[in-house]
Amino acid sequence: MQQSMQRSRGGKGDAFCLGSGCKSERAASNYQQQTDFFEDYLKKLKEKTVEMDDKISGAEFRLVQNVQENGNLRSKVAQSPDKRALEEKKLAREEARNAERLAMHTLHEKTSLVEVFSKGRFLYFFI
């Protein structure tokens, strides 16, 4: 019974493998590299999510401030009651649309990040 001996290229130096042992070592090394890659990728995604949350919070705060300032300035402008009520309704409708757009944009960004992470995690388990 003769066994072929192959020199390992997995960075083990002068180590020798018997038969299919080298394949399993290479596969384990590949899986470890993939794990490291996905862990780094996940860390970057989490950092990016935190940055985006901070930007969104800042934008929402500025939006609230601008709405308040706009309301204060509008109250100083002399207008008829009907026209003022119409303007306020338009403003409220526009603010609601802007808030909805911002919420949808935020949802899409977070959903895409989760989807990317999930696909990466899925690939990791089936590679």
Side-chain angles (χ1 to χ4, degrees), residues 54-95:
D54 291 343
K55 287 181 182 179
I56 290 168
S57 296
E60 288 174 344
F61 180 73
R62 287 190 303 275
L63 177 65
V64 169
Q65 284 181 329
N66 288 339
V67 167
Q68 289 174 348
E69 183 181 350
N70 194 9
N72 291 337
L73 293 174
R74 285 187 182 273
S75 67
K76 293 179 181 178
V77 175
Q79 293 181 348
S80 69
D82 293 339
K83 190 172 182 181
R84 184 180 301 160
L86 181 61
E87 288 294 322
E88 287 175 1
K89 286 180 184 178
K90 285 181 183 179
L91 178 63
R93 199 173 16 219
E94 186 174 339
E95 289 172 6

Side-chain angles (χ1 to χ4, degrees), residues 3 8 30 33 35 48 76 78 86 92 98 116 119 125:
Q3 294 180 346
S8 172
N30 286 341
Q33 288 174 350
T35 301
K48 190 170 184 174
K76 293 179 181 178
L86 181 61
N98 288 340
V116 166
K119 286 182 180 179
F125 285 112

Side-chain angles (χ1 to χ4, degrees), residues 7-17 21-22 25-26 28-29:
R7 182 168 277 237
S8 172
R9 295 183 184 184
K12 298 254 182 190
D14 293 331
F16 287 93
C17 300
C22 291
E25 286 180 18
R26 276 183 259 154
S29 176

Side-chain angles (χ1 to χ4, degrees), residues 6 10 21-22 25 31 35 37 39-40 42 45-46 57 67 72-73 87 105 107 109 111:
Q6 300 174 354
C22 291
E25 286 180 18
Y31 289 134
T35 301
F37 170 79
E39 285 174 353
D40 290 342
L42 175 62
L45 285 176
K46 286 182 179 179
S57 296
V67 167
N72 291 337
L73 293 174
E87 288 294 322
H105 182 70
L107 176 68
E109 286 180 347
T111 302

